[in-house]
């Protein structure tokens, strides 16, 4: 294997190890402090949205913009407004996003039930599609009825996903690092 490829594998291994450790730490913090995690995520999305809006404003002065200036202005304003709201009132933004998620879950559940009824003669196991629709409706209803519990549940699931992702990244990074040592 060439020197450049060996060096690239070594760098990638360390990068994956760093990503894994960061993800594991984030996952643990989400599990131990889910309320704070939800606020931090809203704030982070706000900062990213604000940055995107500012970059879009600067893009207005570029001659080679691939999108019409009207859409770019609208996008920049929406990004800046959302970013500022998420930074100043992160809990309000997260609550609104949770309501959107709840409405979507309810609509998706209804769709799945209707779909299962319509295809019941064409496929086997349509009851599983209908059951997933019922569960989606129940979850959406729970998010509407208990928004704080819904936010904490989402934070916990994000924490679990981050932990799994982190462990996988860490394992991949260690394996790449061992491969480099063998080469």
């Amino acid at each position: 294997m060439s020197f450049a490829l060996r060096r690239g594998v070594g760098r990638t291994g360390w990068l994956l190890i760093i990503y894994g450790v960061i993800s594991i730490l984030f996952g643990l913090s989400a599990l131990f402090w889910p309320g704070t995690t939800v606020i931090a995520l809203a704030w982070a999305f706000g900062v990213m949205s604000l940055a995107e809006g500012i970059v879009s404003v600067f893009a207005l002065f570029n001659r080679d913009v691939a999108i019409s200036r009207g859409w770019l202005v609208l996008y920049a304003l929406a990004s800046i407004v959302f970013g500022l709201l998420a930074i100043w009132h992160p809990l309000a933004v997260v609550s609104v996003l949770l309501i959107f998620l709840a409405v979507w879950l309810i609509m998706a559940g209804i769709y799945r039930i209707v779909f299962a009824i319509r295809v019941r003669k064409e496929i086997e196991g349509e009851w599983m599609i209908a059951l997933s629709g019922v569960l989606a409706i129940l979850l959406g209803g729970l998010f509407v009825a208990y928004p704080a519990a819904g936010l904490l549940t989402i934070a916990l699931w994000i924490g679990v996903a981050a932990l799994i992702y982190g462990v996988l990244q860490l394992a991949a990074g260690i394996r790449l690092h061992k491969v480099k040592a063998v080469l």
Side-chain angles (χ1 to χ4, degrees), residues 36-167:
T36 305
T37 300
V38 168
I39 300 298
L41 286 172
W43 194 82
F45 282 126
V47 169
M48 289 187 298
S49 180
L50 184 60
E52 183 76 18
I54 291 169
V55 168
S56 296
V57 167
F58 283 113
L60 286 169
F61 300 105
N62 188 347
R63 290 183 184 171
D64 300 325
V65 177
I67 192 167
S68 75
R69 298 221 188 281
W71 282 110
L72 192 55
V73 166
L74 183 64
Y75 178 71
L77 286 174
S79 295
I80 291 170
V81 167
F82 175 77
L84 291 174
L85 282 173
I87 290 168
W88 287 332
H89 304 291
L91 192 56
V93 168
V94 169
S95 297
V96 169
L97 291 175
L98 182 71
I99 296 300
F100 281 138
L101 176 61
V103 169
W104 174 77
L105 282 167
I106 292 168
M107 291 173 59
I110 292 168
Y111 169 80
R112 288 180 189 140
I113 292 169
V114 170
F115 178 75
I117 291 169
R118 290 200 174 166
V119 299
R120 71 182 181 275
K121 293 180 182 175
E122 317 302 328
I123 64 171
E124 290 183 31
E126 78 285 350
W127 65 271
M128 290 186 283
I129 298 170
L131 179 60
S132 75
V134 170
L135 293 174
I137 291 169
L138 288 173
L139 184 59
L142 287 171
F143 282 174
V144 170
Y146 305 103
L151 290 174
L152 295 177
T153 301
I154 290 171
L156 291 173
W157 278 107
I158 289 171
V160 169
L163 274 175
I164 293 169
Y165 175 79
V167 167

